[in-house]
Amino acid sequence: YKNFEGSSHLKIAEWIKRSNFKKVLDLGCAGGFLGKALDSDWKGELTGVDADQLWTGSEGLKIYKEILWSDLDLDRIDSLFKEEKFEIVVVLDILEHLKKPEELIKGIKRIIKPNGYLMVSLPNNNFLPVLIIRTLFPKLRWSRGPLDATHLHFYDINSAKKLLESSGFRIKKVDVTSVPLPIISNLFASGSILYPLYLLSLVVSKIIPHYFGYQVLLFAELDSQNV
């Protein structure tokens, strides 16, 4: 859970609150991190889907109206929600793990309301340190981060936009996050000695997002002409 300035969880939660969305589907909800970010000052209905039942009983899931334990590579999302329609579907760091992410996006189109929205976060494969490592060691994989060994697809800002646009969505907003340094070390947490360096990394990621954005965040609207 990324509970610090500029994190993906807080950014997505702020978009939801600012847009006044009340009926939200969180795909890949894990331990309810989006629910934690929305907190008690958001009055809406949150539904979650995740494949890993080890998250069952997590504190963050208590805010959710319903949790469905389902593998998005095996179960069609529109078969899980045949009647229900959502204002927005949130897919955080999930598409890169799926065999056919386009199929999930097509299914999402069937379960959102007309002119509904989709929020997506993806690791930025062009984040400069990752780009250098990929160039020098193309087969190198790690246990987490942009080079996570479980990633089946790799996206940068342009290819992430193309993924959604080719599936019938119009991009409304593009944003990025910086490296989550406060997770890496408490020295980068708010009030700590290296916190100014984290704030600097936020500024740099805004100025040069293609190479210093760690995650790509996309806010997209369903194109009703392509439903």
Side-chain angles (χ1 to χ4, degrees), residues 25-200:
L25 176 61
D26 180 11
L27 298 184
C29 62
F33 304 136
L34 178 60
K36 284 185 177 182
L38 287 167
D39 207 355
S40 58
D41 64 343
W42 178 71
K43 305 301 179 184
E45 185 179 285
L46 188 57
T47 301
V49 177
D50 203 276
D52 191 351
Q53 295 191 42
L54 291 176
W55 291 110
T56 302
S58 294
E59 185 70 22
L61 295 178
K62 291 182 178 179
I63 190 178
Y64 288 69
K65 171 197 170 189
E66 181 183 15
I67 304 293
L68 298 181
W69 302 105
S70 176
D71 187 332
L72 295 173
D73 255 334
L74 301 177
D75 301 319
R76 283 178 44 181
I77 192 65
D78 49 318
S79 69
L80 298 177
F81 300 98
K82 294 180 179 179
E83 304 295 333
E84 203 159 9
K85 297 288 185 178
F86 298 91
E87 293 174 280
I88 185 163
V89 177
V90 180
V91 189
L92 304 185
D93 295 341
I94 294 298
L95 295 175
E96 67 273 20
H97 295 273
L98 300 181
K99 295 175 182 176
K100 296 181 179 180
E102 300 86 357
E103 292 301 313
L104 176 62
I105 298 173
K106 289 177 182 177
I108 288 172
K109 291 168 61 177
R110 302 185 187 103
I111 62 171
I112 61 176
K113 296 180 178 181
N115 297 318
Y117 289 83
L118 173 64
M119 285 182 182
V120 169
S121 74
L122 291 161
N124 180 19
N125 200 38
N126 271 2
F127 176 58
L128 188 58
V130 172
L131 183 59
I132 293 171
I133 292 170
R134 282 198 303 117
T135 302
L136 296 177
F137 308 101
K139 294 185 178 181
L140 181 64
R141 296 292 182 267
W142 295 331
S143 60
R144 60 189 304 174
L147 291 175
D148 188 323
T150 65
H151 291 177
L152 302 180
H153 307 275
F154 297 91
Y155 299 98
D156 57 25
I157 292 177
N158 292 330
S159 60
K161 290 169 61 178
K162 184 177 180 181
L163 173 67
L164 300 195
E165 290 172 337
S166 64
S167 299
F169 284 88
R170 290 193 301 267
I171 305 298
K172 304 290 287 185
K173 182 178 177 62
V174 179
D175 201 351
V176 297
T177 69
S178 179
V179 181
L181 294 175
I183 287 181
I184 296 172
S185 171
N186 288 332
L187 292 175
F188 295 99
S190 179
S192 297
I193 187 171
L194 296 181
Y195 186 60
L197 287 180
Y198 173 64
L199 295 180
L200 177 61

